[in-house]
Amino acid sequence: MQIHTGKPAVPTATPNRQPFAWPKLLTENGRGIAFGGDYNPDQWPEEIWDDDIRLMEKAGVNTVALAIFSWDRIQPTEDRWNFGWLDRIIEKLGKAGIATDLASATATAPLWLYEKHPEVLPRDKYGHQVNAGSRQSWSPTSPVFKEYALTLCRKLAERYGNNPYVTAWHMGNEYGWNNREDYSDNALEAFRAWCRRKYGTIDALNQAWGTTFWGQEMNDFDEVLIPRFMGADSMVNPGQKLDFERFGNDMLLDFYKAERDAIAEICPDKPFTTNFMVSTDQCCMDYADWANEVNFVSNDHYFHEGGEMHLDELACSDALMDSFALGKPWYVMEHSTSAVQWKPLNMRKRKGETVRDSLAHVAMGADAINFFQWRASAFGAESFHSAMVPHAGEDTKLFRQVCELGETLRTLADAGVQGSELERSDTAILFSAESEWATRSETLPSMKLNHWHDVRDWYRAFLDAGTRADIVPLKYDWSDYKTVVLPTVLILSAADTQRLADFAAAGGRVVVGYATGLIDENFHTWLGGYPGAGDGLLRDMLGIRGEEFNILGAEAEGEPSEIRLGDGDSAASADSAVSVLNGATTRLWQNDVNVTGEHAQVLATYAGETADEWDLDGTAAVTRNPYGAGEAYFVGCDLDVSDLTRFVRGCLAVQSPKDAPSPESAESAKSPESAESPDVLHTVRKSPEATFDFYLPRGKKEIALHGIEGEPIVLFRTEQGEESGSYVVHRNGVLVLRR
């Protein structure tokens, strides 16, 4: 692997980002790792509240998110406000040392509002009005709804802005969960205005959307449509659909900012956040932009995968969150103590996973661990969603784990973890929300593309190779990294392509995945051969030119479903990188490319009878090309995690040109293969006062660690050996050392 001579600087984002501010706890110095969850006392009779607080104190809870779905209790009718219950519970919590993260309460509107103003309801793409009764049954472009929502925000700010027990504002809740796409007339008018602002002239819009295809040219912005259902042959103009995705993101972000600003005008001195939804099965907003508008970044994370992928998926999602936070600590606003209730199969967490998952978030940079929710509901759609206090009460394994977690987080806080920052890797896997949206288009060569899942697969491959990569938004600054990887980054603008070329020319390593750089930001296909991004600049950098895509799939009955890879250049057989992928298989997408670079090297080809059948036998599948002081790899086909791991180990083990150390440092440097194990997720958090090493087993077996330095702070499911620096960490265990 690469020899580390230093870590890259934290990626940077827009200069007008909101200042970082962390909510204080009600401790003597205001510090500590925040621990708690969504609290819904309005679902319970008041005589239970004192018992709630007793149990919170027992568990070590120090913060709760309050009133997220409570608009109807705060404003029972249009003319009546009821803050008494909210006053009483905030006071009870505060006197017990539990801070309130107070919601704007706009996630669900009261039914009287929908009855009086049905026009605030969104519509689906078929034109059907979405009915009230669930979360977010409102259109973010409705001026009527916004007026009511902002009135509520101001009322809350006026009443609680100076309350010492309210230490942060929680705007909305999971914006876009149920109203990400709205096809109402309000949305149509707002989309037309959005297009007018973006393009200026209708000719520019026609050019961007390519409206000469299928006779879609418009004469005025009043002719702009939203992509409603158009019949059985309803293939939406992909440029129009991509802009509609951007518009939906922007409309909800604008709504969030309107809520935030309404409160900030009255209460400017407390930090604002809203909970993102980032896991590798969901990332519906362009959170790289949203992160600029909060004082601290928050996330709701729910695992979708079981087994060994569970921890890897968590770490992958958290790696992106850490980049959104620009290296500052971030907030887990929600995750689950055990099973959820919304999947077809709702498995509970295994022994140790409740604590392990929480500590894994801390290992990846989080300084707040919160759950949905405090007490399991006795009724409603989420009554079988796990909680900190289960239906069976406090005398349960689950609540005892919650108490153990609270004590462990307090230990970490006392040791000084809070405020420390996650040490960065020297490799960045680039993530693009727009490419994720684009891969869902029904107009691509394959409808099985998934940018986010490919990011996850590359992330796991680096872990399996014994190292760890960061995940960084494409639109942020990643120029300080030594290697960047672009998995299915379908959309590349000319400007971003130039950034990649400049990065490689300056000595960086660029790894380009199989469906990267095919279209520009308007969903126009780059011409001249694949990948054509930057009018051929990406091809020049890679030293290849693609002619066609070969698409496979098990759905094609009687057709081959995979192609094998063989050795690369025989003339370069002395290079260990050549033959590292011999025997690998590709099952979805193969690029049919010619090698054009004078010094380009073929590391793997398509081989065998099936490759010959598709006229690919001997065609380059994976290549490497020098570019300036750096180099560029092209992985021209899909590979599974095990084959990507072979590529990372065998090809990227070559020292990056950007990473040339002195002979002395090269000799003394420890390679990640000897310093790290693929069986362990090892992260480092640093502050000026201390360094913290987190070790978590990735698999089902225990791991033995030897010769590691530091004072043991947390030994969860971990045994200390007789020799100094020796430990055995059991499955779902965590070891934390301080140096």
Side-chain angles (χ1 to χ4, degrees):
M1 303 303 296
Q2 295 167 220
I3 298 170
H4 294 235
T5 57
K7 295 296 180 183
V10 173
T12 57
T14 178
N16 59 352
R17 188 179 177 103
Q18 293 289 308
F20 174 76
W22 192 256
K24 293 181 179 179
L25 297 176
L26 302 182
T27 56
E28 187 175 334
N29 60 5
R31 293 178 57 80
I33 294 177
F35 176 53
D38 284 18
Y39 182 36
N40 298 289
D42 42 326
Q43 293 181 11
W44 301 91
E46 287 201 29
E47 52 264 30
I48 288 181
W49 294 1
D50 287 338
D51 194 51
D52 279 334
I53 290 173
R54 176 185 67 83
L55 292 175
M56 288 180 188
E57 291 178 307
K58 182 177 180 179
V61 167
N62 54 33
T63 187
V64 295
L66 201 60
I68 290 173
F69 300 110
S70 300
W71 188 346
D72 65 333
R73 296 298 301 273
I74 295 169
Q75 191 181 10
T77 68
E78 184 171 7
D79 303 324
R80 186 161 59 92
W81 296 87
N82 176 19
F83 291 106
W85 69 274
L86 193 52
D87 294 344
R88 292 191 294 277
I89 192 59
I90 290 174
E91 183 79 5
K92 281 179 177 286
L93 290 163
K95 287 183 175 179
I98 301 167
T100 291
D101 170 31
L102 187 59
S104 63
T106 56
T108 54
L111 292 179
W112 60 258
L113 195 158
Y114 293 120
E115 288 294 315
K116 184 174 182 178
H117 295 286
E119 69 272 19
V120 307
L121 291 162
R123 290 184 177 271
D124 66 18
K125 67 179 180 179
Y126 302 101
H128 304 143
Q129 190 174 69
V130 173
N131 292 312
S134 184
R135 296 173 289 174
Q136 297 175 337
S137 301
W138 45 265
S139 166
T141 58
S142 166
V144 173
F145 182 78
K146 181 176 285 189
E147 180 181 352
Y148 278 96
L150 297 189
T151 297
L152 172 62
C153 289
R154 294 184 187 104
K155 289 279 191 179
L156 288 166
E158 288 165 357
R159 192 168 191 95
Y160 301 108
N162 293 321
N163 189 308
Y165 302 144
V166 174
T167 61
W169 291 101
H170 181 313
M171 310 312 301
N173 187 69
E174 296 182 337
Y175 286 95
W177 178 250
N178 201 40
N179 58 355
R180 173 68 177 84
E181 294 183 342
D182 173 25
Y183 298 85
S184 66
D185 288 344
N186 284 325
L188 173 61
E189 291 307 311
F191 186 49
R192 287 171 173 171
W194 183 90
C195 289
R196 187 178 285 108
R197 290 192 300 272
K198 178 173 181 178
Y199 292 106
T201 68
I202 197 64
D203 289 342
L205 176 57
N206 280 316
Q207 175 66 27
W209 287 6
T211 55
T212 53
F213 188 82
W214 279 0
Q216 297 174 352
E217 285 186 285
M218 293 163 282
N219 299 304
D220 188 87
F221 285 101
D222 289 340
E223 294 182 7
V224 170
L225 301 176
I226 52 180
R228 291 167 170 154
F229 180 67
M230 298 173 293
D233 186 24
S234 188
M235 284 191 288
V236 175
N237 178 323
Q240 176 196 24
K241 185 65 166 65
L242 182 59
D243 265 348
F244 190 64
E245 294 277 6
R246 291 170 174 142
F247 159 77
N249 176 79
D250 291 353
M251 289 304 98
L252 283 159
L253 180 55
D254 286 347
F255 191 89
Y256 155 79
K257 289 192 290 186
E259 289 192 83
R260 178 200 66 193
D261 293 348
I263 292 176
E265 288 176 5
I266 300 166
C267 175
D269 56 348
K270 293 178 182 178
F272 293 86
T273 195
T274 187
N275 39 343
F276 299 173
M277 294 178 287
V278 175
S279 70
T280 60
D281 277 296
Q282 62 184 25
C283 192
C284 64
M285 300 295 183
D286 193 349
Y287 290 121
D289 291 337
W290 285 70
N292 294 324
E293 301 296 341
V294 296
N295 295 120
F296 62 99
V297 170
S298 303
N299 191 41
D300 291 358
H301 182 271
Y302 291 96
F303 72 93
H304 291 255
E305 306 290 349
E308 293 185 11
M309 194 186 288
H310 180 141
L311 179 62
D312 290 356
E313 191 284 322
L314 182 154
C316 180
S317 301
D318 285 1
L320 181 57
M321 287 302 303
D322 187 69
S323 287
F324 289 149
L326 301 187
K328 296 294 185 184
W330 52 276
Y331 217 92
V332 176
M333 189 65 75
E334 290 183 25
H335 68 312
S336 63
T337 55
S338 191
V340 297
Q341 93 309 335
W342 40 260
K343 295 191 291 187
L345 177 65
N346 294 295
M347 294 187 298
R348 70 173 182 169
K349 290 192 175 181
R350 292 174 172 83
K351 182 190 295 186
E353 281 186 340
T354 299
V355 176
R356 190 280 310 270
D357 287 1
S358 298
L359 298 182
H361 288 305
V362 178
M364 293 298 298
D367 272 1
I369 299 298
N370 294 271
F371 294 96
F372 179 83
Q373 58 180 324
W374 164 248
R375 186 183 285 274
S377 298
F379 42 77
E382 295 185 287
S383 60
F384 287 102
H385 190 297
S386 62
M388 299 173 78
V389 180
H391 291 143
E394 65 179 299
D395 186 16
T396 53
K397 294 177 183 177
L398 191 55
F399 186 69
R400 285 190 284 274
Q401 289 179 72
V402 167
C403 294
E404 183 177 10
L405 174 59
E407 184 178 349
T408 304
L409 293 174
R410 186 164 51 248
T411 297
L412 288 171
D414 291 344
V417 167
Q418 191 207 336
S420 63
E421 297 185 5
L422 183 66
E423 185 176 70
R424 311 198 75 75
S425 169
D426 61 359
T427 296
I429 302 172
L430 301 184
F431 173 78
S432 161
E434 293 189 343
S435 284
E436 171 60 18
W437 301 337
T439 56
R440 302 172 196 162
S441 172
E442 297 179 354
T443 65
L444 297 170
S446 173
M447 295 182 194
K448 292 184 177 180
L449 293 178
N450 190 309
H451 167 59
W452 204 186
H453 283 187
D454 285 347
V455 168
R456 180 190 65 195
D457 287 351
W458 275 94
Y459 187 82
R460 296 189 71 210
F462 276 93
L463 291 179
D464 286 347
T467 187
R468 186 176 60 83
D470 294 338
I471 300 176
V472 180
L474 173 66
K475 62 175 58 176
Y476 284 11
D477 178 11
W478 30 262
S479 60
D480 274 344
Y481 284 89
K482 292 168 182 146
T483 299
V484 296
V485 182
L486 291 86
T488 322
V489 182
L490 196 65
I491 298 175
L492 273 181
S493 66
D496 284 334
T497 308
Q498 187 64 58
R499 292 170 67 202
L500 289 167
D502 292 345
F503 174 82
R509 174 190 288 145
V510 177
V511 181
V512 174
Y514 63 91
T516 292
L518 303 184
I519 57 177
D520 70 7
E521 63 271 30
N522 295 317
F523 220 114
H524 290 200
T525 305
W526 288 105
L527 302 179
Y530 309 115
D535 283 328
L537 178 58
L538 188 60
R539 286 195 306 272
D540 293 344
M541 184 171 63
L542 295 169
I544 54 96
R545 177 178 174 271
E547 298 181 9
E548 198 174 1
F549 313 120
N550 195 68
I551 307 299
L552 299 180
E555 298 86 348
E557 190 173 343
E559 295 289 355
S561 59
E562 63 181 42
I563 292 176
R564 184 175 60 82
L565 270 58
D567 289 348
D569 292 338
S570 58
S573 57
D575 188 334
S576 62
V578 177
S579 81
V580 72
L581 288 173
N582 187 22
T585 54
T586 169
R587 299 179 177 87
L588 173 64
W589 181 304
Q590 302 80 41
N591 283 279
D592 187 353
V593 305
N594 301 309
V595 177
T596 59
E598 181 181 358
H599 301 291
Q601 183 183 14
V602 177
L603 303 181
T605 63
Y606 304 112
E609 183 179 342
T610 303
D612 184 60
E613 184 177 346
W614 293 106
D615 197 21
L616 287 173
D617 190 29
T619 299
V622 181
T623 62
R624 180 172 66 205
N625 189 54
Y627 189 82
E631 60 187 358
Y633 288 79
F634 182 57
V635 181
C637 57
D638 65 293
L639 297 172
D640 63 21
V641 172
S642 62
D643 289 335
L644 289 175
T645 303
R646 292 165 61 187
F647 172 79
V648 171
R649 281 178 173 157
C651 298
L652 302 189
V654 181
Q655 182 184 306
S656 168
K658 196 177 183 180
D659 194 17
S662 66
E664 294 80 11
S665 63
E667 189 172 339
S668 63
K670 226 177 183 183
S671 75
E673 279 97 340
S674 61
E676 303 289 355
S677 164
D679 298 327
V680 181
L681 174 65
H682 174 210
T683 68
V684 178
R685 290 188 58 168
K686 287 187 173 182
S687 72
E689 294 77 30
T691 296
F692 299 90
D693 290 271
F694 291 76
Y695 298 90
L696 298 89
R698 294 178 59 221
K700 296 182 178 181
K701 59 184 180 182
E702 66 183 31
I703 58 168
L705 300 171
H706 302 285
I708 54 176
E709 299 178 356
E711 172 196 359
I713 302 300
V714 171
L715 295 140
F716 175 67
R717 295 174 58 81
T718 298
E719 297 166 5
Q720 195 163 2
E722 294 182 4
E723 296 181 7
S724 176
S726 296
Y727 301 88
V728 175
V729 189
H730 296 279
R731 180 182 181 180
N732 300 329
V734 182
L735 169 64
V736 185
L737 304 177
R738 179 175 58 190
R739 294 185 274 129

